[in-house]
Amino acid sequence: MLLGLIPSVSAQGGEIALTMGSWRVDDVAQMQVILDAFHAVYPNITITFDPTNPPDYNATLRTQLEGGTAPDLFYLRSYATSRQLFEEGYLEPLGDLPGLMENFTEAARAPWATDDGLPYGVPFIAVSHGVYYNIDLFNELGLEVPQTWEELLAVAQAIKDAGYDPFANASGDEWTIAEIVFMNIAPTFIGGYEGRQAYLNGERCFNDEHAVAAFQAVADLAPFLPEGQEALTYYDSQQLFLMGEAAMWLGGSWDIPFFESEAPDFEWSVFGIPAPEGQEQRYVTFHMDAGMGLNAAAPDDHKEAAKLFLEWMTTPEFATLMGDTLPGFFPISNHPIELSNPHANAFLALNEGAGLDVRWAWEKLLDGQPDGYTLMQNGALAVIAGTMTPQEAADALQEGLAQWFEPAQNCPAGM
């Protein structure tokens, strides 16, 4: 029995009604499936899912926490945002939660833990990045999935020569250039986790040759974006790809349900950002997107029931159910799982043999002003527009971070 492995300890207690906050308004039906499964194990515990529109989530949650009206359980952003909530006393420490330390690696727990490893959130979902491609259009043009960055650019040129847009990506919604273009590409050019840590440790300056190469890669793609791309929104770029006007789209796994519902007969798959010629290791941005936290101000009986849910989240049964119910959102635990959605499996297959890392700006670079996200976004937008060279974009990143980030102030000169 899939979910019968956990004893229904709390089933003997009184009725408990918990609330759960989230920024995922698109997942109400899917989360109900998950919460119903938990309720089947613990019949006296009911959890109501109450999401907030994504742009409003952080502010709404803070207002609720400060006003004493926050939900018992709530989604946690990774790194700085949730750590600040913990440091302000709004999150329950979870160092003694059964299953948490055993079933998640230290790296998986890190986005929701203190620097010395005390967890305050259960790792919940990761999302993957890659390049969506139109299978029929690739077949029509006789194209193969590119194996190197240089082959990717050659494929893009062939698509452009055939009269199609090579990439559907656009900068009308600026965040997309930061998150699904620049931070999709960057690990390949800075050397994934190890390379990123070298910046965070002060061993590299943010305008070194690797950072310049990452911005250069964005510049390489600029001629292959749609005409007038600066006026096109995220939705517009999705539609260009789905209508077959563009052959590829740099994106994330979270859009699998949208693509499947918008165009169920559309034949697409995904490949990872290929490494440049001569570089054996390739990398995939596999971002730790959300953890689950427990409101430190919740009543004791609610905390007890909520910890049962959090413990259940560490099991293989939860990992499989979550991965199948929310295709494109991947469990982070160590449990091997098999997913039923072929598109989700295509994304997950990108991880095989690849170095995995989170988006570059998230760890530590969001902690001051100007933050690394904004600097990277502005630099990528500028190289696409041709108003900065890749070197100038990297220099601006280094100079901006050096205003507050100590490792950037002390990195080796000339690196």
Side-chain angles (χ1 to χ4, degrees):
M1 183 68 181
L2 178 64
L3 300 172
L5 301 178
I6 297 179
S8 51
V9 175
S10 193
Q12 300 174 1
E15 295 291 329
I16 300 290
L18 303 178
T19 53
M20 177 185 290
S22 167
W23 61 81
R24 289 292 306 171
V25 294
D26 295 336
D27 299 340
V28 173
Q30 293 87 342
M31 282 302 297
Q32 193 59 54
V33 172
I34 293 172
L35 297 179
D36 285 347
F38 174 73
H39 183 69
V41 183
Y42 295 99
N44 67 316
I45 303 174
T46 302
I47 303 177
T48 300
F49 186 64
D50 184 21
T52 302
N53 285 329
D56 303 327
Y57 179 70
N58 290 4
T60 298
L61 177 61
R62 174 162 287 280
T63 298
Q64 292 172 328
L65 289 167
E66 292 175 350
T69 61
D72 301 295
L73 295 156
F74 46 89
Y75 281 36
L76 297 178
R77 307 283 190 188
S78 51
Y79 296 109
T81 304
S82 63
R83 188 171 65 248
Q84 183 176 2
L85 295 179
F86 175 73
E87 290 172 348
E88 294 177 12
Y90 293 123
L91 285 167
E92 186 82 359
L94 298 175
D96 60 352
L97 186 77
L100 179 56
M101 306 301 277
E102 303 94 311
N103 296 322
F104 297 86
T105 65
E106 181 180 355
R109 297 193 303 270
W112 303 281
T114 61
D115 288 342
D116 58 1
L118 176 62
Y120 47 78
V122 174
F124 181 23
I125 51 178
V127 293
S128 190
H129 294 229
V131 184
Y132 288 71
Y133 71 100
N134 181 327
I135 293 175
D136 290 338
L137 190 50
F138 265 54
N139 289 338
E140 174 188 323
L141 300 179
L143 300 173
E144 300 287 338
V145 170
Q147 301 301 308
T148 67
W149 180 258
E150 289 76 10
E151 287 183 16
L152 174 63
L153 298 180
V155 164
Q157 187 62 57
I159 294 167
K160 187 173 183 177
D161 292 344
Y164 297 97
D165 288 322
F167 296 96
N169 296 87
S171 61
D173 287 324
E174 295 181 341
W175 70 268
T176 68
I177 297 301
E179 293 191 28
I180 65 173
V181 177
F182 182 76
M183 291 184 214
N184 190 345
I185 291 171
T188 293
F189 292 89
I190 68 170
Y193 175 83
E194 290 77 12
R196 185 172 60 80
Q197 292 302 313
Y199 293 104
L200 299 184
N201 294 335
E203 297 169 4
R204 288 181 178 178
C205 291
F206 288 84
N207 59 347
D208 74 344
E209 59 180 313
H210 307 285
V212 174
F215 283 110
Q216 180 62 57
V218 176
D220 291 344
L221 298 184
F224 301 118
L225 302 182
E227 184 176 352
Q229 58 81 26
E230 62 276 2
L232 301 177
T233 65
Y234 186 55
Y235 179 78
D236 294 333
S237 67
Q238 290 174 314
Q239 293 303 313
L240 280 178
F241 179 67
L242 289 175
M243 291 187 298
E245 295 181 18
M248 297 179 283
W249 185 67
L250 280 76
S253 59
W254 58 88
D255 274 321
I256 290 174
F258 175 77
F259 276 36
E260 290 179 340
S261 61
E262 282 282 297
D265 297 328
F266 180 55
E267 293 290 332
W268 62 270
S269 190
V270 63
F271 62 86
I273 297 294
E277 289 180 1
Q279 176 178 306
E280 293 185 4
Q281 182 64 60
R282 63 180 182 84
Y283 297 92
V284 169
T285 302
F286 192 72
H287 187 69
M288 304 299 173
D289 197 42
M292 188 71 73
L294 171 56
N295 187 347
D300 288 344
D301 58 341
H302 284 217
K303 283 186 182 179
E304 181 182 358
K307 285 185 176 179
L308 290 173
F309 178 78
L310 295 174
E311 180 182 352
W312 183 66
M313 289 180 66
T314 71
T315 65
E317 291 77 20
F318 172 83
T320 300
L321 177 64
M322 194 275 285
D324 274 337
T325 306
L326 293 168
F329 294 88
F330 302 108
I332 307 175
S333 63
N334 301 330
H335 310 298
I337 60 167
E338 293 185 10
L339 304 179
S340 59
N341 184 291
H343 290 131
N345 276 321
F347 261 104
L348 206 55
L350 302 182
N351 293 358
E352 297 175 5
L356 307 181
D357 198 21
V358 300
R359 298 174 189 141
W360 190 3
W362 255 249
E363 185 177 8
K364 298 186 179 179
L365 302 185
L366 299 176
D367 298 359
Q369 293 295 327
D371 65 85
Y373 182 103
T374 302
L375 292 165
M376 292 177 189
Q377 175 175 286
N378 290 346
L381 288 166
V383 298
I384 289 174
T387 57
M388 273 188 180
T389 67
Q391 181 67 61
E392 289 171 338
D395 289 343
L397 177 61
Q398 166 64 23
E399 291 165 9
L401 290 173
Q403 293 181 36
W404 60 271
F405 187 54
E406 187 174 345
Q409 297 166 351
N410 300 318
C411 61
M415 295 295 290

